[in-house]
Amino acid sequence: MKPIVLVVAGHVTRDAVPALCAELETLLSGPGAPVPGGAPPAPPGLVECDVGGVDRPGLALVEAVARLALVARRSGRQLALRRVGPELQGLLDLVGLADVVGLGEREGAGKLGEAVDPGDVTEARVPGA
């Protein structure tokens, strides 16, 4: 199964959160995803969310992370964040979400998980605004 990578960039506002969740739901409904009507769910795995391109991380981004984690969990997957800056790390720690989502890679650190061939990645670039 191809890993799913959602790239979030720009300034994330509360108005952008539903669109981010809808985009992840679309990615999860691709080949191998659960089909409405009782088909078995997709095998568990990670949904990687690259937040390194986000400007001014704030509570709207924290809300987006929480809701994206719920969308991923409903499909039998876990959300893992990549390129988490210190501001977002602090906010996630403050609200208790750092233990809920995987924080696999901090900005400037190594890659999350194993090396992945770029041809094996399903990716969507989603502007925050």
Side-chain angles (χ1 to χ4, degrees), residues 10-39:
H11 180 66
V12 177
T13 63
R14 290 193 75 205
D15 292 338
V17 174
L20 290 170
C21 292
E23 181 63 30
L24 181 56
E25 288 171 346
T26 299
L27 290 172
L28 290 169
S29 66
V35 177

Side-chain angles (χ1 to χ4, degrees), residues 20-107:
L20 290 170
C21 292
E23 181 63 30
L24 181 56
E25 288 171 346
T26 299
L27 290 172
L28 290 169
S29 66
V35 177
L46 284 179
V47 173
E48 297 180 16
C49 183
D50 185 336
V51 293
V54 172
D55 299 330
R56 301 180 311 248
L59 291 178
L61 179 58
V62 170
E63 178 183 353
V65 166
R67 290 181 56 185
L68 290 170
L70 287 173
V71 170
R73 186 166 290 184
R74 282 188 212 122
S75 72
R77 295 173 180 256
Q78 179 182 0
L79 185 72
L81 299 179
R82 296 195 311 190
R83 300 191 322 139
V84 178
E87 299 90 359
L88 180 57
Q89 175 72 49
L91 287 171
L92 293 172
D93 287 338
L94 181 67
V95 299
L97 280 177
D99 295 332
V100 175
V101 297
L103 298 175
E105 180 185 335
R106 298 186 83 160
E107 231 169 30

